[in-house]
Amino acid sequence: MGFFGTYAYENGDWKTLSEGELPPLAEPSLWIDIHDSDITSVVYAPAGTGSGVAYLGLTPRTYFENPNASDPTDTLREAAGLAAWWGLVHGGGDVPGKQAELLQYLAEDEDPEDFELDEAEDIDEEAVFVEVKTRRFLTALDLPLPGELSA
């Protein structure tokens, strides 16, 4: 069984929530929901130029092999929205540089057949456990780590 965790960042602090719980949050806020070590849903507000929703690891469309599981992803748009969010939270900074940095973490819709892991290959743990990628992503956003992710 993989890792599950739901956290909300608002007013400079993290709250641990029930799985999938998304209460109203004061902006700027960030909500992360880790599903079975495979998908991290990231909901951020204000969304700026993004849609306000991004994914780490796999997208729901890919993971569930169902195009109706989530809207199509646009990683460039979401990286721009998240970088603008980062700039707002931290009082400015190199937003274009942050956009380029965050882009490497975001998942895009792919063919599920592309993920078959070769057991003989040396695979980065971030490719297997989305909570590792989530920790690195939150560090890139210059945020503290919530709950069990800080362990």
Side-chain angles (χ1 to χ4, degrees):
M1 177 174 217
F3 181 87
F4 292 83
T6 304
Y7 310 94
Y9 181 82
E10 69 176 336
N11 301 320
D13 291 313
W14 286 103
K15 291 188 264 187
T16 300
L17 305 172
S18 300
E19 183 180 342
E21 177 187 4
L22 178 53
L25 300 170
E27 292 183 7
S29 62
L30 183 79
W31 174 86
I32 58 172
D33 185 52
I34 302 169
H35 177 81
D36 201 21
S37 293
D38 292 314
I39 301 171
T40 294
S41 299
V42 179
V43 177
Y44 58 97
T49 59
S51 73
V53 179
Y55 300 100
L56 312 177
L58 302 174
T59 69
R61 293 166 63 92
T62 301
Y63 181 78
F64 295 110
E65 299 181 31
N66 179 350
N68 297 319
S70 62
D71 289 337
T73 58
D74 182 341
T75 55
L76 289 173
R77 179 180 178 202
E78 298 316 325
L82 283 159
W85 182 90
W86 169 84
L88 176 66
V89 169
H90 297 293
D94 179 10
V95 172
K98 188 55 70 173
Q99 178 181 350
E101 180 183 4
L102 295 174
L103 183 61
Q104 69 182 325
Y105 293 98
L106 303 183
E108 53 190 330
D109 299 320
E110 297 184 44
D111 183 345
E113 298 297 319
D114 294 342
F115 308 119
E116 294 182 24
L117 300 176
D118 182 352
E119 298 295 328
E121 287 183 36
D122 185 22
I123 298 172
D124 181 6
E125 65 182 347
E126 156 177 314
V128 178
F129 302 107
V130 78
E131 57 271 26
V132 174
K133 182 174 268 190
T134 303
R135 279 195 295 266
R136 293 175 184 169
F137 171 76
L138 293 174
T139 299
L141 283 173
D142 301 313
L143 296 177
L145 298 177
E148 294 94 352
L149 289 181
S150 60

